[in-house]
Amino acid sequence: MVHVEIDGAPAALDALYRAATWNFGHFTSMQVRGRAVAGLEFHLRRLREASAVLFPGETPPADQRVLDLIGHALGAERDASVRVTVLPGATVMVSVTEPAPDAAQAPLRLRTITYERELPQLKHVATLGLTHHYLAARRDGFDDVLFAGRDGHVREGSVWNLVAFDGERVIWPDAPMLTGVTIQVLRRGLAKLGVPAEHRVLTTVSLAGLSAAAANSHCPAQPIAAVDGTDLAAHEPLTGLLWRAWREVPWDKLG
């Protein structure tokens, strides 16, 4: 299942050509289940804020327009992966594909490298660097890659956020990075459960002193087995907490 619309109409070849060859824009990706989305307000805010940074002279697409375009592109589909991309001129491209699996994969074995995304606070379309490093890690026998800045501080994964656990509290890296929608949903859920959480500067050395780590993306609790030579396989307490927190937050209907 692949369906793409631009501003509510089937994507014309010339519009797709411009989107593919002018690599300037931003996007958000969401999982739709029963025509509802977890953290919908965070997705909409992400689009508004990124538009203000990348297109400061333009009026960003209104929230209701974005919702209408998503609903139109979905058609009769109730479960799907949806990507909303905003391009120059407040052009909105919505793609609908098969839903991603909800369950976690086998625990990930990660390699760390020094890499800093441009405008790390934005989910933008300049993904060559992160894709290159992800594929290189895969060729070398790892499952994925974890990025650290030139200061040595751990930031984020290829297309996901890192969360760690010290046996008492949930820890988010304190570094320039994209604050994912899943993180924001989990924060609410953890707060409802009364689970302590904090931001902390993490390095590859300090990760060795923690009990567990997980990746947050479309799966809120993807366990991590190891980072370089550091074993983080005792992930059950952390992933259990994350799943409980995820289930605490209601999903928002698209309308």
Side-chain angles (χ1 to χ4, degrees):
M1 176 176 65
V2 179
H3 179 64
V4 182
E5 293 186 355
I6 296 180
D7 289 336
L13 181 60
D14 60 340
L16 287 174
Y17 173 80
R18 288 194 298 273
T21 56
W22 191 14
N23 197 29
F24 192 74
H26 63 87
F27 68 98
T28 194
S29 296
M30 62 190 74
Q31 291 300 307
V32 177
R33 298 292 183 272
R35 297 187 77 88
V37 176
L40 181 59
E41 66 181 280
F42 301 131
H43 286 287
L44 296 172
R45 184 172 68 190
R46 166 186 282 172
L47 295 176
R48 292 195 306 272
E49 292 179 349
S51 286
V53 174
L54 294 185
F55 313 124
E58 300 177 4
T59 301
D63 290 354
Q64 190 57 53
R65 179 181 173 224
V66 172
L67 294 176
D68 291 344
L69 292 172
I70 293 172
H72 189 272
L74 278 169
E77 298 292 343
R78 295 186 57 78
D79 300 337
S81 298
V82 171
R83 170 169 163 155
V84 180
T85 304
V86 180
L87 302 166
T91 299
V92 180
M93 180 167 65
V94 181
S95 59
V96 178
T97 57
E98 294 287 344
D102 293 321
Q105 305 172 23
L108 302 176
R109 295 167 298 109
L110 307 179
R111 175 169 73 184
T112 57
I113 66 159
T114 301
Y115 177 70
E116 300 176 1
R117 290 191 308 113
E118 294 178 321
L119 300 174
Q121 77 277 19
L122 303 184
K123 194 174 182 72
H124 51 70
V125 299
T127 58
L128 183 148
L130 64 87
T131 304
H132 166 73
H133 292 300
Y134 165 75
L135 293 175
R138 296 278 296 180
R139 286 194 298 269
D140 290 341
F142 296 90
D143 297 308
D144 212 321
V145 65
L146 179 63
F147 299 138
R150 284 167 288 184
D151 54 10
H153 299 169
V154 170
R155 293 188 170 203
E156 55 195 349
S158 59
V159 292
W160 45 267
N161 287 117
L162 178 75
V163 57
F165 191 57
D166 65 3
E168 296 182 357
R169 65 189 62 243
V170 171
I171 301 162
W172 316 104
D174 185 4
M177 63 179 188
L178 177 72
T179 301
V181 168
T182 302
I183 279 183
Q184 297 175 73
V185 173
L186 288 171
R187 284 176 181 165
R188 283 190 175 175
L190 290 168
K192 289 181 69 174
L193 293 172
V195 176
E198 68 178 37
H199 285 81
R200 187 186 302 178
V201 171
L202 297 175
T203 65
T204 54
V205 173
S206 64
L207 281 176
L210 302 176
S211 60
N216 303 144
S217 184
H218 60 82
C219 175
Q222 169 59 51
I224 292 171
V227 177
D228 299 325
T230 299
D231 181 6
L232 293 167
H235 51 75
E236 283 295 336
L238 173 60
T239 54
L241 273 178
L242 295 177
W243 279 117
R244 285 175 57 204
W246 184 253
R247 296 182 183 112
E248 283 292 319
V249 179
W251 286 45
D252 306 303
K253 287 292 184 181
L254 287 167

